Amino acid sequence: MNNTPLAPVTVIGLGLMGQALAGAFLKAGHPTTVWNRTSSKADRLVAAGARSAPTVGDALAAGPLTILCLTDYDAVHELLGPDGIDLTGTTLINLTSGSSGQAREAAEWAARRGAHYLDGAIMAIPAGIGTADAVILHSGPQQVFEAHEPTLAALGTVTHLGADHGLASLYDVAGLAMMWSVLNAWLQGTALLRTAGVDAATFAPFARQIAAGVADWLPGYAEQIDKGAFPAEVSALETDARAMEHLIEESEAVGVNAELPRLIKAMAERAIAAGHGGEQYPVLIEEFGKPHTG
């Protein structure tokens, strides 16, 4: 029987997500110290066995590993920025949402303060924390991640993306792009079918099947993008553009908003005008990779 005590951990920031993080560490048996500007948010965790630190400095001093889950990066700098806060030798894992640029700047700031730093992104809702379904992404030095991976595993499925501190934030927003695009496509289709009396619940299983089928295309399409070659193995972009026009026409005919399909068709038309009409759909990566000039 292994009686080795588990590593202590500190959680700073006790919103819904911060409370879920601290709760998962407690459930896994880690000595857990918490701090929040509104101290009453720690009451439930203290009742479950956590220690509420009186100050941020006390929270940081409670152990070598501190998890940050705050409103934004400005709050991180405001809270930990004062000269009286000693970060020397501390490992900070920042699960605060922000941009890749903010993540890289925070890593440089932490290094100047003598701290080890990982940036992270939580791809889960609070109720999922502590289960395998909770995906927690980390970026920064691999040795820092590996040193604390057994502790972090209490939160869910933890993954190290690479040494670039901005990667977790980039994956986060890329995931949001996927999520909203899938949902928006489903809402467009649902709006169309509702005009014929088909409810959302009836369409949802069909839409799910379509989404799963499209997901199966991604590895092959990714290979084309990485090679920079887009042979039309399934359909040429100019054929897809004609189908887009059908979607626009149908939407307008039944009184459904056509802004989204018009946007995608405009991108396809630019690619076709640039000579890519005979290539496969992933050639649109060239359009997605350009800054907006309108």
Side-chain angles (χ1 to χ4, degrees), residues 11-15 17-19 21 35-36 67-70 79:
V11 177
I12 292 179
L14 299 178
M17 185 59 77
Q19 291 187 42
L21 298 173
W35 185 90
N36 193 75
I67 309 296
L68 304 173
C69 189
L70 300 172
L79 193 64

Side-chain angles (χ1 to χ4, degrees), residues 203-258:
F203 177 49
F206 176 81
R208 184 176 183 179
Q209 185 177 19
I210 293 294
V214 171
D216 287 341
W217 302 347
L218 298 184
Y221 280 8
E223 185 176 349
Q224 288 193 344
I225 291 172
D226 291 341
K227 288 182 176 178
F230 307 94
E233 299 166 348
V234 176
S235 177
L237 182 61
E238 56 193 7
T239 301
D240 292 326
R242 288 194 290 272
M244 292 174 194
E245 186 59 40
H246 296 160
L247 172 57
I248 293 167
E249 291 173 353
E250 184 68 35
S251 296
E252 292 177 339
V254 297
V256 167
N257 190 305

Side-chain angles (χ1 to χ4, degrees), residues 61 74 124 151 163 231 242 264 282 293:
D74 288 341
T151 301
R242 288 194 290 272
I264 302 303
T293 57

Side-chain angles (χ1 to χ4, degrees), residues 5-74:
L6 295 176
V9 61
T10 292
V11 177
I12 292 179
L14 299 178
L16 292 176
M17 185 59 77
Q19 291 187 42
L21 298 173
F25 285 126
L26 282 170
K27 185 176 180 180
H30 291 275
T32 304
T33 299
V34 296
W35 185 90
N36 193 75
R37 199 179 298 275
T38 304
S39 59
S40 60
K41 289 191 174 183
D43 291 348
R44 182 181 62 81
L45 294 164
V46 169
R51 170 181 173 264
S52 180
T55 68
V56 172
D58 290 328
L60 291 165
L65 177 64
T66 294
I67 309 296
L68 304 173
C69 189
L70 300 172
T71 306
D72 52 34
Y73 280 73
D74 288 341

